Amino acid sequence: MKSRISLLLFIMMAFLAITACSSDENSEGKAKDEKKEITIAIDQNFVTLDPHNAGDTVSIFGTRAMYEGLVGFDQNMEVIPVLAEDYEVSEDALEYTFKLREGVTFHDGEPFNAEAVQANFDRIMDEDQDLRAKRNFQYVDKMEVLGDYEVKFTLNQPFSAMLNKFAMVPFISPKAIKEDKDLGLNPVGTGPFQFNKWNQGDSLVVDKYADYWGEDATNVEKVVYKPVPENGSRAAMLKTGEADFVYPVPQQNVKDFENNDDVVIEKTPSTIARYVSINTFKEPFNDVKVRKAMNMAVNKEAYIDVVKNGYASILDSTMSSETQYYSKQEPYTFDVEEAKKLMKEAGYADGFEAEIWGNSSSETIQGMEFIKQQLAQIDIDVSIKSMEEGTLSDEIYTPETPEDAKVQMWYVSWSPSSGDADGATRSLFSSEYFPPNGANTAYFNNSDVDKWINAANETSVKEEQADIYSNIQSTVYDEAPWIFLATDTILSGHTKNLDGVYVLPDGSVSIKNATLK
Amino acid sequence: MWQYIVKRVIGLIPLILVVSFVIFMFIHLIPGDPARLIAGKEATIEEVQEIRVSLGLDKPIIEQYFVYLKDLLTGDLGYSIQSGAPVSELIGERIMPTLGLTFISIIWALVVGILIGVVSAVFRNKWPDHLGMVVAVSGISLPNFWVGLVLIQLFSVQLGWLPTGGADDWKSYLMPSFALGAGIMAMIARFMRSSLMETMKQDYIRTGRAKGLGGNAIVFGHALKNSLIPVVTIAGLQFGFLLGGSVVVETVFSFPGLGRLLIDSIQFRDYPVVQAEILLFSLQFILVNLLVDIVYSFLNPKIRYQ
């Protein structure tokens, strides 16, 4: 008898619960629109909201909703003035003078002026704080206040990516800095949105800032960011309308959404370059003919179809087309016969055995299997070694010298942290940046390239910088220290009635123009 | 009884010391360098070294352990390497949702599991038994992340009744606790069934029948309580594993609990957070076992502790 009663009760409760939910959901959906609120589902948690200490992409774009720098990036990652009205770079590329915008206030009412810039600069350069933003100012010698609305930064050596680095440094209210509240939890900036609340691991909520200095580009009152790591769950949120914007949309779901009238899928080229680095220090990879043969043996179109589900484009330089000073090269054509000929000329007509390393994600493993199968065509017998990310990083960065390095091929990707050519070149191809000092895992060593990487910094003339980087790209591409594979396509999705939220090529989500129709 | 409990609790202290040592060594010996992960890919060796020093990771590992132990004994769990926030704060924010989730899971699993087990035993080899066991075997065999994804597809995408994730209100707890508890419910149902069937063969049950007691009075008045011991054992053990399961389920349902914090921290080699979490999980395992021992003596007064 007891069992029957409890069973009955259970069924009744379940029924009540289900009916209660369905009616709630509808009213919630309507209420959400009236309030002009949007939800953005992303794949990772925010780590910190301190804009001077954010290192991961998600924390960086989370803080960018509330913070601004002297300059910033537009939708194509070109540097544009933001809190500076105008800027000037001296001819020797050592002095950067910024004229600050007047009438800008922080979310706590404090004015933005030269004093505020000084307070931020002091915080960043404070050794005790050990903030990540300090790296952006590694070449900055000093900062001077020239007037209430004018500041000058002096560098100790020229640096071609300096403006991009300024774009990575947002400004915190000097009052908040002084009060020394935990800035990782209490953001106060000048951006179009201000902090509402952050439930760590669950959601970040920002509200529109009524006194924003700039153009009123959004009609959204409230934005909720929700980290949803599981691909299937994130895609489901776009289907159910729980999320208005989802990034990244899993590749396998794109086709599904393309038949859905309520959802729009956006494809943005990224700054992410995908490649296999080849250890040019080791035999037989020290022979450029072998490396060229490897490039010619891999069918990049097939790679994109098989591994990237078609959502990528061929990597036709040492950097993605979205990176500063990119210059297109002629890709290696897929030609197995020609590749075999090169192998024969190099003395490896019968091929050789080799090892490829990569992390343990399923896409990487699939990619490595593809490379293995392609290189088998020229009798290179590849064995795959897939490792968890931290272990892999140890294997790569522990050897102190090129002689000790065990890596032969590494299936990996690279995206410069601020979209600049220096970041896409120096630590990958300069001989000063062999591991453990940098990421030159091809152990690429070319004195011309070394010289050019430094020369690009010594001029402030953009055309000259472009020329130098173009030389670097053509020389490196020709030396084939990598198997050049693809540039990722960023996949994001939004509901039909949302506009103006977009993903930049570096993978950061911008909400400042968010508009609900 | 009370003496026994106090003794057991005191016995926890050396156990925690051993556990903390094992956890510390394991975590520090797995490859991967948090300093490099913090510094980022464009960092030079000097920058990485600087971070290593500031985190105290350049010291010998034994020395690091004693620093950790000293802090631990004074109740200081340290600061997260990744975010710089106090570990106690990070765990404090996540512990309630996870505890809520595991409790709801274990409670519905116990209620439904015992119910199915009893019905199956009473209607042995008839259709309710077969149905119950089909449910039980499915619960054990289906991986919880898969159950989770199917639930989302059905109740969120198709029917639109429940949110896909989060921990905003009670509705967000329904699917994750179902996915999390399904395996244990099944396990409990099977143990309940076999244990009850075993009990029903005992002499005192036959005596009960002989003196004319009805079916319900026999099952609920005499047999059930005596059959609960193996069920309590298995429920206690499984409760410990629930936290492990919550790592997967919390990821599927983007649930802001300890499981997801653990995944994120391990990937980043956030030593202080991982250490604190695993220590917490171990502690909870030990406490649940203590609780199980205590429940035994209530179920069977013959079991006495000294």
Side-chain angles (χ1 to χ4, degrees):
Chain A
M1 193 57 204
K2 253 190 210 168
S3 74
R4 267 183 227 156
I5 292 172
S6 43
L7 184 68
L8 199 68
L9 274 174
F10 186 76
I11 293 171
M12 273 172 62
M13 273 171 63
F15 184 70
L16 274 174
I18 287 165
T19 44
C21 303
S22 58
S23 57
D24 269 20
E25 191 58 42
N26 292 337
S27 55
E28 219 172 68
K30 271 179 212 146
K32 203 167 122 182
D33 279 349
E34 280 159 19
K35 268 191 278 170
K36 295 279 183 195
E37 173 186 330
I38 60 169
T39 299
I40 296 179
I42 49 180
D43 64 337
Q44 277 162 42
N45 281 332
F46 297 98
V47 174
T48 177
L49 296 180
D50 182 341
H52 294 163
N53 211 19
D56 56 299
T57 308
V58 168
S59 300
I60 289 174
F61 72 70
T63 54
R64 272 190 200 156
M66 299 169 276
Y67 283 105
E68 293 170 315
L70 292 171
V71 288
F73 296 113
D74 70 4
Q75 194 161 354
N76 305 312
M77 285 206 79
E78 299 291 333
V79 175
I80 48 165
V82 181
L83 289 181
E85 240 167 22
D86 200 5
Y87 56 85
E88 223 171 77
V89 186
S90 70
E91 226 162 84
D92 58 3
L94 286 174
E95 287 177 2
Y96 287 73
T97 311
F98 294 92
K99 220 177 148 317
L100 308 183
R101 197 175 291 281
E102 296 185 31
V104 176
T105 54
F106 287 96
H107 302 149
D108 60 1
E110 287 288 294
F112 171 77
N113 51 29
E115 222 173 283
V117 176
Q118 180 79 55
N120 278 268
F121 182 75
D122 291 345
R123 175 173 193 254
I124 293 166
M125 302 307 268
D126 184 355
E127 290 291 332
D128 296 341
Q129 300 244 20
D130 212 7
L131 297 164
R132 278 186 194 134
K134 205 170 70 186
R135 163 100 54 82
N136 296 311
F137 286 159
Q138 59 181 328
Y139 301 118
V140 176
D141 199 31
K142 60 175 189 217
M143 186 210 130
E144 289 160 90
V145 174
L146 301 181
D148 280 353
Y149 291 96
E150 199 171 1
V151 293
K152 185 169 90 178
F153 292 85
T154 310
L155 275 53
N156 50 31
Q157 69 171 75
F159 184 34
S160 66
M162 196 60 223
L163 271 180
N164 295 56
K165 298 295 172 193
F166 276 118
M168 301 297 287
V169 180
F171 290 95
I172 305 173
S173 153
K175 191 169 148 215
I177 293 178
K178 210 165 155 199
E179 284 170 358
D180 201 25
K181 275 195 293 185
D182 187 350
L183 290 168
L185 299 173
N186 305 288
V188 189
T190 61
F193 288 89
Q194 60 181 334
F195 181 66
N196 177 325
K197 66 175 177 195
W198 180 31
N199 303 324
Q200 291 194 36
D202 186 26
S203 60
L204 167 67
V205 184
V206 295
D207 296 332
K208 187 173 171 175
Y209 176 46
D211 293 330
Y212 183 58
W213 60 269
E215 176 200 357
D216 185 11
T218 176
N219 66 357
V220 171
E221 295 295 329
K222 189 187 222 175
V223 178
V224 181
Y225 293 93
K226 278 211 166 246
V228 182
E230 221 304 304
N231 276 340
S233 318
R234 201 168 53 253
M237 287 180 77
L238 190 55
K239 278 185 206 159
T240 61
E242 268 174 88
D244 305 274
F245 189 91
V246 166
Y247 166 72
V249 171
Q251 287 171 10
Q252 64 270 20
N253 292 89
V254 173
K255 289 252 146 50
D256 194 15
F257 281 122
E258 275 170 352
N259 304 323
N260 185 333
D261 289 340
D262 301 327
V263 171
V264 183
I265 296 291
E266 304 283 355
K267 298 167 190 148
T268 319
S270 74
T271 53
I272 302 164
R274 240 165 240 290
Y275 57 91
V276 176
S277 78
I278 308 170
N279 186 338
T280 60
F281 193 79
K282 279 196 182 309
E283 271 184 33
F285 308 110
N286 55 356
D287 191 330
V288 67
K289 284 182 180 152
V290 170
R291 303 197 299 264
K292 285 191 173 171
M294 289 163 79
N295 266 288
M296 293 169 109
V298 175
N299 183 346
K300 281 91 177 175
E301 272 113 15
Y303 167 81
I304 290 169
D305 278 347
V306 172
V307 182
K308 309 295 295 178
N309 284 316
Y311 303 114
S313 46
I314 292 179
L315 177 61
D316 51 9
S317 181
T318 62
M319 54 177 81
S320 136
S321 57
E322 302 308 300
T323 313
Q324 180 194 26
Y325 300 134
Y326 151 84
S327 124
K328 185 177 157 60
Q329 311 296 317
E330 191 50 50
Y332 291 96
T333 40
F334 172 59
D335 188 340
V336 177
E337 289 316 309
E338 191 61 29
K340 277 184 177 161
K341 221 165 86 190
L342 282 173
M343 287 287 277
K344 202 172 164 190
E345 281 173 36
Y348 294 101
D350 298 330
F352 52 83
E353 283 178 7
E355 201 172 62
I356 188 167
W357 292 3
N359 68 26
S360 49
S361 81
S362 47
E363 193 194 297
T364 302
I365 292 170
Q366 208 186 348
M368 291 195 287
E369 275 163 0
F370 182 84
I371 300 292
K372 175 189 165 88
Q373 179 249 329
Q374 296 280 292
L375 292 183
Q377 299 175 103
I378 53 171
D379 298 312
I380 301 178
D381 181 13
V382 178
S383 52
I384 293 172
K385 202 169 157 191
S386 130
M387 288 174 267
E388 186 271 338
E389 196 76 67
T391 314
L392 181 61
S393 157
D394 259 18
E395 291 281 332
I396 300 274
Y397 291 106
T398 310
E400 299 275 341
T401 61
E403 288 80 10
D404 294 340
K406 289 194 196 71
V407 63
Q408 297 181 357
M409 290 189 269
W410 183 17
Y411 181 94
V412 69
S413 67
W414 184 272
S415 164
S417 62
S418 50
D420 55 290
D422 187 78
T425 311
R426 182 183 293 271
S427 40
L428 295 171
F429 303 117
S430 161
S431 66
E432 288 168 33
Y433 286 79
F434 293 159
N437 201 38
N440 184 354
T441 50
Y443 291 90
F444 183 77
N445 189 350
N446 180 310
S447 54
D448 282 341
V449 171
D450 284 355
K451 208 171 64 200
W452 290 331
I453 287 174
N454 292 328
N457 279 340
E458 277 154 23
T459 170
S460 66
V461 184
K462 286 200 165 170
E463 291 71 26
E464 285 175 30
Q465 290 179 341
D467 275 350
I468 296 170
Y469 280 114
S470 159
N471 277 339
I472 295 175
Q473 288 170 68
S474 63
T475 307
V476 176
Y477 207 82
D478 192 50
E479 286 279 320
W482 295 350
I483 302 174
F484 298 93
L485 295 173
T487 297
D488 284 11
T489 298
I490 286 171
L491 297 168
S492 58
H494 58 87
T495 51
K496 222 168 193 165
N497 60 347
L498 176 68
D499 246 352
V501 180
Y502 57 86
V503 185
L504 273 76
D506 69 346
S508 51
V509 177
S510 167
I511 56 167
K512 66 172 191 279
N513 299 328
T515 315
L516 279 170
K517 284 180 225 164
Chain B
M1 188 69 200
W2 285 110
Q3 248 180 340
Y4 171 77
I5 294 175
V6 171
K7 242 196 244 169
R8 281 283 298 262
V9 171
I10 292 173
L12 284 180
I13 295 168
L15 202 58
I16 290 171
L17 284 182
V18 173
V19 168
S20 75
F21 182 75
V22 172
I23 294 170
F24 188 89
M25 288 303 160
F26 262 117
I27 293 170
H28 283 257
L29 291 178
I30 50 172
D33 180 359
R36 185 162 286 281
L37 290 168
I38 290 180
K41 53 191 182 174
E42 286 173 22
T44 61
I45 187 75
E46 288 83 26
E47 289 169 298
V48 175
Q49 188 55 27
E50 211 173 282
I51 294 173
R52 220 172 268 152
V53 171
S54 76
L55 293 174
L57 295 171
D58 56 326
K59 299 200 182 79
I61 190 157
I62 288 293
E63 197 184 325
Q64 288 184 48
Y65 172 70
F66 281 109
V67 171
Y68 161 69
L69 191 64
K70 201 187 103 218
D71 289 346
L72 184 67
L73 292 177
T74 54
D76 180 2
L77 293 172
Y79 292 86
S80 155
I81 291 180
Q82 198 181 8
S83 69
V87 174
S88 47
E89 200 176 276
L90 286 177
I91 289 188
E93 277 184 24
R94 308 287 192 97
I95 196 166
M96 287 325 284
T98 295
L99 279 184
L101 183 60
T102 38
F103 271 111
I104 295 173
S105 307
I106 195 84
I107 285 169
W108 87 256
L110 269 171
V111 171
V112 178
I114 290 177
L115 209 74
I116 292 181
V118 169
V119 170
S120 290
V122 172
F123 296 96
R124 194 177 164 189
N125 289 331
K126 298 204 181 75
W127 70 265
D129 180 24
H130 296 313
L131 180 70
M133 285 307 106
V134 165
V135 172
V137 171
S138 318
I140 294 173
S141 340
L142 301 176
N144 53 15
F145 70 89
W146 184 83
V147 171
L149 288 174
V150 170
L151 288 175
I152 290 177
Q153 189 61 30
L154 183 65
F155 289 102
S156 306
V157 178
Q158 302 298 334
L159 299 171
W161 289 348
L162 297 172
T164 53
D168 303 327
D169 53 17
W170 61 271
K171 274 187 276 172
S172 5
Y173 282 81
L174 290 179
M175 292 196 296
S177 61
F178 182 85
L180 194 55
I184 299 171
M185 178 277 290
M187 202 90 89
I188 290 171
R190 290 189 62 96
F191 271 85
M192 188 69 236
R193 175 177 180 268
S194 53
S195 174
L196 188 59
M197 275 171 10
E198 200 53 46
T199 313
M200 298 291 270
K201 285 184 203 149
Q202 300 293 318
D203 289 344
Y204 64 86
I205 299 292
R206 202 179 313 142
T207 311
R209 284 198 206 280
K211 72 173 182 181
L213 283 178
N216 279 341
I218 295 235
V219 171
F220 293 105
H222 297 275
L224 184 60
K225 195 175 162 195
N226 287 308
S227 321
L228 278 176
I229 290 223
V231 174
V232 168
T233 311
I234 201 76
L237 276 177
Q238 290 294 321
F239 188 76
F241 290 119
L242 266 186
L243 286 170
S246 74
V247 173
V248 176
V249 169
E250 285 181 9
T251 305
V252 173
F253 290 101
S254 36
F255 192 87
L258 290 174
R260 262 181 72 198
L261 181 64
L262 185 64
I263 291 272
D264 292 343
S265 318
I266 289 177
Q267 275 168 356
F268 203 83
R269 300 291 186 271
D270 199 337
Y271 295 148
V273 182
V274 179
Q275 277 157 202
E277 273 211 65
I278 298 186
L279 195 64
L280 188 75
F281 286 3
S282 324
L283 252 181
Q284 179 250 353
F285 215 98
I286 296 169
L287 286 176
V288 169
N289 272 310
L290 176 62
L291 202 69
V292 166
D293 286 345
I294 294 168
V295 172
Y296 280 165
S297 72
F298 283 106
L299 289 176
N300 185 351
K302 271 198 234 157
I303 301 177
R304 281 281 171 262
Y305 300 105
Q306 261 104 49

